[in-house]
Amino acid sequence: MKIRRTTHPDALVSILKQALSPDRVRNDAAERSLFSNDASIFKGGASGPVCFPVSTAEVQAITRIALDHGRAIVPRGAGTGLSGGAIPLGEPIVVSTMKMNKILEVDLVHRIAWVEPGVVNLDLTKTLMPLGFHFAPDPSSQQSCTIGGNVANNSGGPHCLAYGVTSQHVVALDVVLPNGELVHLGGLDAEPEGYDLRGAYVGGEGTLGIATRIAVRLTPNPQAVQTLLLAFNSVEDAANTVSAVIASGIVPAAMEVMDQLITQAVENYVNAGYPTDAAAVLLAEVDGLSSGVAINAERIAAIGREHGAVSVRVASNDEERARLWKGRKTAFGAVAQIAPAYYLHDTVVPRSQLAGVLRRVYEIGAEYHLTIVNVFHAGDGNLHPLILFDPRENGVLERVHAAASDIVEVSLSVGGVLSGEHGIGIEKRDHMELMFSFDDLDHQRRLRSAFDPLCRSNPGKVLPSPHSCADIQSLSRIPEGVWG
Amino acid sequence: MTLNLDPDELASCVQCGLCLPHCPTFRVSGDESMSPRGRIALMRSVEDGAPITEEVKRSFETCVQCRGCETACPSGVKFGHLMEKTREALAKAHEITPSWQRFALGALDHPGLLSAGSKALAVAQRVKIVPKRLGVPRIPLRSPAMESSAGSVAGDVYLFTGCVMDVWQRDVHRDVQYVLERAGFGVIPTTNASCCGALHTHAGLGDRSRKMARHVIETLDGAIPILVDSAGCGAAMKEYGSLLGTDEAKAFGSRVFDVAEWLVANPGTLEAPGVLDLRVAVQDPCHLRHVQRVHLATRDLLRPFVRELVELDDEGLCCGAGGSYSALEPELAGQIRDRKVAAIDRANPDVVASANPGCSMHLQAAGVKSVHPLSLLAQALRG
Amino acid sequence: MSDPTLAAFCDLVGSHDPVAVAGGKTRFGLGGSLREGTRLVSAPEGILRHLPEEMTVQVRAGTSVRDLHEALAEKGQRTALPERGGSVGGALAVGENDLHVLGRGRVRESLLQVRYVSADGRLVSGGGPTVKNVTGFDIPRLMVGSLGTLGLIAEVMVRTNPIPPRSIWLTARDVDPFAVRDSLVAASAVLFDGRGTYVQLEGQVGDVVAEQALLATLGRFEEVAGPPPLPLHRWSLTPAQLSDEVCMAGAGDFVASIGVGTVFASLPQPRATVSPALIALTERVKTAFDPTGRLSPGRDVLQGRP
């Protein structure tokens, strides 16, 4: 039995500095403040010392020091998460993976790459492209976000419609468990024996330890790609088209919908030729072998016209396609042209319910006097309503919070789920009871405690009280000011 | 203290982090404090009353001011302006830009001082006491003055000769003048316009740069176009409008063109005896690509005159030169340059074309063969 | 709990004595024999809801995979579960992939939502009904391949896929199966038995024709009715080990799944050792879900313990 004691913060910092190097442990108040937030709207995090390990051994050392000193650890990648998963609560040691950013090995025989967690998603794909492969998960933040972060959040992206989310692309990992032990999960062989702890680890939001080496699957680049841009007079028409395409037996590589306001903001930034007078646009991509691609592209165009598409444009070359996608992927940021802040929501509903739920989302916006715009992964029913607001307006956050809760309720009422790709973090922690029973949550807690019995890794996330860590009472509720 | 930043400008950042990979200092460090998002967060906390600690200063001082984050930012955050204002406030409070830097920058708008200093440097180079790694080009001991060729049929243009470049790289100006004359233009090299003030703006010496901008505007009055062959100077002069906030300055800014930008729009009569047998990689100076946003002109201009043009695969990430940055932050500048050199190696060109003398010098110091695109063009035209 | 069928299954499982589920018993011995005296129960049967436009089907665990696929085929869909006489719950608890894994996906990725009876006899739900979901910890992944040692699967929501318009098997001798795998895009399976290479092509008619033409440049392929007979034992190797004689030694007669690493062999696979850290973590998981060890006692998911 290890005796845990609390230590003077300065002593902790000097021990960490000895274990790493002085310049890779930061404790300045200003610098710590930078690690108290992520890309979400949640404030109120408080970071302890920030460590930048460069090796698995250093991550183990930090973990053991944290354990000895009774401190929690919070792993962090690029800080582009949207659910507050990387926000440190209660001054834990923050472990930044940004200096563990090497692509260790590209193995074309097994069609995998071993990478460190701080490798940027798009950098990996750029490295693989000339070899004829890419990393399939492509979240909108892919130019900035890291593979480690993708693993933690089981990230998605437009092309997950056909290729699946991150879990399907992680073959094996080395994980430093919260007790400091190193464990190898999964494997390159066909069916690794034992429980699928690899699968259980992915999407653990940093509560199950820190992955220091990750074997990701390489996806062959498609032989042929066609990207279609369909314009509609209503968001419902676009949503119904999406549902009809899937029902017809086509699984496109991606199907994305943007409503008018967001399309206008995006077009202003990328000049991709998005029709700014359309109520909604559908960006659909099919890939694969050329014959099937041609057939499916034509069928999508036809289904679109049947459902009220006023125009159908096919990208004629790679540059045009890249420009259209750049528009889609920078959509969230482009919102700043409309309002200084937004709350980006993330729920999933059955595809057949998209049109009805969207109608309700706009109504909810009107009820709370908030502008809500929609840009989303329509193909898998993954909604991303953006609630726009000006934080300087008095009391606006309560309305934003209330509208967000209503959207969650509407989504769940039609058989949807809380999150499609952003994760639970602190954002939806207290919504978990809407989707899961006490027993369901208790079993999730059991899984977490098998990895982290002492609740040392990213405490206060994912599971609501009383399923969250009992020994850290202060985190059992979301701290004051998080929504401010 | 307050940084006097525009709250709306500061509020426009939504912390999405899409800027991170486009920031050269974040790329080499992985440090949030060396990223645009982190720097804006620190600006906010200073505005909210946080003290100016060494770490905070370090965050601001390490910014190259390349403004690569601005082209990456879908929210349109005016990062360059925020950083310039921040540095101006800190410099006023003597938190940054120590007096030796102020003195050195002072030489730039005193041609006599600059010329004397350069002569001393030229002599020092001859007796080999200037380390090569500094990347200072071989400075001519004597260089004849440039002469005006005003009065052409196609029209006359100013060629802005600036400060350091006029002394150190007058050959580039001569090449530019030659190309412009071959295109049919009369060229008036500016002789007393002196320094554009870009480096002073970057150092936070706003009062001085505004004074220098006013001087440049007064000296180059009239209506004829002002062509600039240094991307950093061109960017600064195009932004005189926002620097001074006057209609006169805005009108002046609209007369400023990068030489390549001008020649692509006004090609005149450029004909070369043959193409240069070279594989040329275009390195975009940040202030051409991210500020002036006319970097494609360099390619359009060179394409007919060289065997092959190749792109670097780093999406215009900064080379680390950054005006005086490479001298003030040699370690970071070197790490940033290493990435650029690796990208150049992957492209494997015979020569790199860079439209900014600072970038060229910085790359040359790492053994890269880098020349001004107009010098390449002049070489092709001369045959 | 509103579903009386599931409530009845919970009562059947109870909360005290050693218990396990018997499905089709096609892979019943995996992980070792059940301890003597273990009570066997059957999971409930029935297809509850197939939503073709959602590409999901909700089905009770006792339903046979064959019946499920027959019902799905009416709407032109299927699942990644192997059809070999067993039940849906059994296929998931075992977790072994179908022969056509390259084209149809892995079993572990097809499970969207799982309802199972816990060791203390309660109905627990993990995952969600939609095709995309990251709400909470990934209980479904943990249940796939757990051999009934963590919970007894009662009902599931499984991902469905469209049945492609064309599907054919081809075979040829004297071709390099690895080159075949590397050349093809639409192969659902590439098998090699030491002499012949078997390829299953699936997709749009035009795509299959194109891939068939490509195959013709590699060897003389002829259409056949289906795959070769598969030997009894199942090995798990890495794709690269398939071309390594040392790794393949001791397999006897075999059919190897190229690009996947599964080998169907006449002899059992020698066990590899597992690290102490992984054993410890595995035991913590088992204890967390089944503190008294009453679920499928005698079965061990880690065959490679030292």
Side-chain angles (χ1 to χ4, degrees), chain A residues 296-415:
Chain A
N296 285 341
E298 270 179 32
R299 282 169 67 196
I300 291 173
I303 292 169
R305 289 197 189 91
E306 281 165 28
H307 289 80
V310 289
S311 74
V312 178
R313 180 178 135 202
V314 181
S316 53
N317 55 40
D318 287 348
E319 199 202 330
E320 195 178 344
R321 175 175 314 117
R323 207 174 268 277
L324 287 173
W325 275 113
K326 186 177 181 190
R328 167 60 188 87
K329 294 205 170 177
T330 52
F332 302 144
V335 164
Q337 298 168 33
I338 312 172
Y342 61 77
Y343 175 26
L344 172 56
H345 220 286
D346 167 45
T347 65
V348 187
V349 300
R351 283 177 274 242
S352 54
Q353 305 287 335
L354 271 174
V357 171
L358 282 165
R359 204 175 311 119
R360 272 297 295 145
V361 167
Y362 288 113
E363 282 168 14
I364 290 166
E367 283 162 23
Y368 290 99
H369 305 288
L370 291 164
T371 303
I372 299 185
V373 297
N374 280 289
V375 44
F376 55 100
H377 309 309
D380 34 30
N382 192 177
L383 289 179
H384 282 324
L386 287 114
I387 307 172
L388 310 186
F389 64 98
D390 186 335
R392 289 165 291 188
E393 191 189 327
N394 238 340
V396 73
L397 280 163
E398 280 89 66
R399 278 172 23 232
V400 170
H401 193 175
S405 285
D406 285 6
I407 291 172
V408 165
E409 274 172 36
V410 169
S411 303
L412 293 183
S413 72
V414 298

Side-chain angles (χ1 to χ4, degrees), chain B residues 297-314:
Chain B
T298 308
R299 293 155 179 75
D300 294 341
L301 185 63
L302 280 182
R303 198 167 289 117
F305 300 100
V306 300
R307 171 166 54 84
E308 196 180 358
L309 270 188
V310 286
E311 293 288 338
L312 303 182
D313 61 6
D314 62 356

Side-chain angles (χ1 to χ4, degrees), chain A residues 58-343:
Chain A
E58 287 190 351
V59 173
Q60 282 184 284
I62 297 165
T63 305
R64 291 196 169 118
I65 291 167
L67 204 61
D68 281 350
H69 293 81
R71 293 288 277 263
I73 53 173
V74 174
R76 177 188 171 99
T80 53
L82 292 159
S83 63
I87 293 181
L89 302 175
E91 299 199 9
I93 298 172
V94 169
V95 182
S96 167
T97 59
M98 290 312 292
K99 289 186 201 284
M100 294 181 76
N101 60 359
K102 286 189 286 298
I103 298 171
L104 301 168
E105 186 189 356
V106 175
D107 174 353
L108 294 183
V109 178
H110 290 115
R111 297 196 178 180
I112 59 116
W114 278 106
V115 303
E116 291 186 321
V119 169
V120 172
N121 175 306
L122 190 59
D123 286 356
L124 176 60
T125 278
K126 278 186 179 169
T127 305
L128 298 173
M129 275 293 186
L131 304 168
F133 294 88
H134 65 284
F135 180 59
D138 60 340
S140 292
S141 57
Q142 75 176 133
Q143 57 175 301
S144 300
C145 64
T146 63
I147 302 295
N150 294 164
V151 169
N153 289 295
N154 197 3
S155 301
H159 289 84
C160 288
L161 176 56
Y163 293 99
V165 293
T166 300
S167 179
Q168 298 193 28
H169 301 275
V170 173
V171 180
L173 339 97
D174 286 347
V175 174
V176 174
L177 294 175
N179 66 5
E181 277 185 345
L182 181 66
V183 61
H184 183 79
L185 305 180
L188 307 192
D189 58 325
E191 285 157 357
E193 70 171 326
Y195 298 128
D196 184 8
L197 298 174
R198 167 214 67 86
Y201 175 84
V202 176
E205 303 196 25
T207 66
L208 307 179
I210 302 180
T212 56
R213 278 174 85 236
I214 303 157
V216 296
R217 206 176 288 287
L218 311 185
T219 301
N221 299 340
Q223 242 177 41
V225 183
Q226 279 206 24
T227 307
L228 296 92
L229 183 67
L230 295 85
F232 295 89
N233 282 329
S234 78
V235 179
E236 279 93 342
D237 285 350
N240 289 330
T241 300
V242 168
S243 205
V245 166
I246 299 289
S248 78
I250 303 172
V251 184
M255 277 202 286
E256 303 285 307
V257 170
M258 297 197 284
D259 72 10
Q260 185 166 22
L261 260 181
I262 193 97
T263 304
Q264 288 169 345
V266 158
E267 178 58 19
N268 204 16
Y269 172 62
V270 293
N271 298 314
Y274 274 110
T276 50
D277 53 346
V281 295
L282 167 62
L283 189 62
E285 187 158 286
V286 280
D287 67 12
L289 288 161
S290 48
S291 157
V293 165
I295 291 169
N296 285 341
E298 270 179 32
R299 282 169 67 196
I300 291 173
I303 292 169
R305 289 197 189 91
E306 281 165 28
H307 289 80
V310 289
S311 74
V312 178
R313 180 178 135 202
V314 181
S316 53
N317 55 40
D318 287 348
E319 199 202 330
E320 195 178 344
R321 175 175 314 117
R323 207 174 268 277
L324 287 173
W325 275 113
K326 186 177 181 190
R328 167 60 188 87
K329 294 205 170 177
T330 52
F332 302 144
V335 164
Q337 298 168 33
I338 312 172
Y342 61 77
Y343 175 26

Side-chain angles (χ1 to χ4, degrees), chain C:
Chain C
M1 190 191 331
S2 52
D3 185 337
T5 309
L6 295 181
F9 186 52
C10 284
D11 291 344
L12 181 65
V13 172
S15 58
H16 292 96
D17 60 330
V19 63
V21 174
K25 286 199 170 181
T26 51
R27 305 292 283 160
F28 201 60
L30 276 184
S33 310
L34 290 173
R35 195 190 302 151
E36 215 168 298
T38 303
R39 183 165 56 94
L40 289 185
V41 296
S42 294
E45 293 176 35
I47 299 165
L48 300 175
R49 211 161 39 132
H50 176 209
L51 298 172
E53 74 279 13
E54 306 301 335
M55 296 204 300
T56 59
V57 62
Q58 190 178 13
V59 57
R60 292 196 186 113
T63 313
S64 83
V65 177
R66 189 163 295 138
D67 288 350
L68 174 66
H69 281 176
E70 261 176 33
L72 296 180
E74 286 171 20
K75 294 281 164 60
Q77 295 190 341
R78 64 185 183 194
T79 73
L81 304 181
E83 202 179 302
R84 54 187 178 195
S87 65
V88 169
L92 289 163
V94 167
E96 290 172 349
N97 291 318
D98 196 359
L99 198 58
H100 328 274
V101 60
L102 289 176
R104 300 186 190 178
R106 291 173 206 84
V107 169
R108 72 185 188 201
E109 279 141 18
S110 70
L111 181 60
L112 301 171
Q113 187 174 39
V114 58
R115 294 207 162 103
Y116 58 94
V117 182
S118 69
D120 52 0
R122 292 167 181 272
L123 189 72
V124 177
S125 184
T130 54
V131 289
K132 193 176 185 186
N133 172 30
V134 295
T135 312
F137 294 102
D138 204 340
I139 298 288
R141 243 40 67 214
L142 193 61
M143 296 308 291
V144 174
S146 63
L147 300 178
T149 61
L150 301 179
L152 303 183
I153 302 176
E155 181 194 302
V156 291
M157 182 76 80
V158 175
R159 188 191 294 277
T160 62
N161 287 306
I163 298 173
R166 181 135 170 79
S167 171
I168 56 169
W169 278 95
L170 300 156
T171 186
R173 297 214 160 203
D174 304 322
V175 292
D176 176 1
F178 297 96
V180 169
R181 161 65 179 136
D182 287 344
S183 315
L184 296 177
V185 175
S188 283
V190 179
L191 306 178
F192 180 64
D193 65 5
R195 297 170 298 278
T197 300
Y198 295 78
V199 180
Q200 187 185 32
L201 296 177
E202 293 187 302
Q204 293 284 349
V205 177
D207 291 345
V208 172
V209 169
E211 295 269 276
Q212 213 174 338
L214 208 157
L215 275 181
T217 65
L218 299 172
R220 290 175 42 152
F221 278 87
E222 289 172 6
E223 206 168 327
V224 284
L230 304 177
L232 181 68
H233 296 283
R234 193 177 174 105
W235 290 30
S236 176
L237 298 178
T238 75
Q241 286 171 334
L242 297 181
S243 57
D244 184 336
E245 281 179 19
V246 177
C247 297
M248 292 290 288
D253 293 335
F254 71 88
V255 174
S257 184
I258 308 299
V260 179
T262 302
V263 180
F264 301 89
S266 59
L267 298 168
Q269 183 175 17
R271 291 165 189 183
T273 44
V274 182
S275 77
L278 185 60
I279 290 172
L281 179 59
T282 300
E283 280 175 358
R284 287 203 298 274
V285 170
K286 168 69 179 170
T287 309
F289 281 80
D290 181 18
T292 63
R294 69 178 286 255
L295 299 179
S296 309
R299 272 192 202 141
D300 185 357
V301 291
L302 283 180
Q303 289 290 293
R305 284 175 196 259

Side-chain angles (χ1 to χ4, degrees), chain A residues 26 28 30-31 33-35 38-40 43 52 76 78-80 96 98-99 101 120 122-123 126 140-144 269 326 329-337 339-342 392, chain B residues 7-8 11-22 26-34 37-39 41-42 45 51 53 55-56 59 70-76 313-315 339:
Chain A
R26 314 281 172 73
D28 169 67
E31 192 145 3
S33 75
L34 300 180
F35 292 84
D38 58 10
S40 68
K43 310 282 179 238
F52 294 84
R76 177 188 171 99
T80 53
S96 167
M98 290 312 292
K99 289 186 201 284
N101 60 359
V120 172
L122 190 59
D123 286 356
K126 278 186 179 169
S140 292
S141 57
Q142 75 176 133
Q143 57 175 301
S144 300
Y269 172 62
K326 186 177 181 190
K329 294 205 170 177
T330 52
F332 302 144
V335 164
Q337 298 168 33
Y342 61 77
R392 289 165 291 188
Chain B
D8 286 338
S12 61
C13 170
V14 294
Q15 298 102 246
C16 67
L18 291 189
C19 53
L20 299 177
H22 303 280
F26 182 79
R27 264 292 184 178
V28 298
S29 71
D31 275 4
E32 188 75 20
S33 64
M34 290 203 196
R37 180 175 67 176
R39 288 175 177 126
L42 289 177
S45 56
T53 60
E55 284 80 2
V56 170
S59 166
E70 286 192 21
T71 33
C73 179
S75 305
D313 61 6
D314 62 356
E315 290 181 78
R339 286 187 70 95

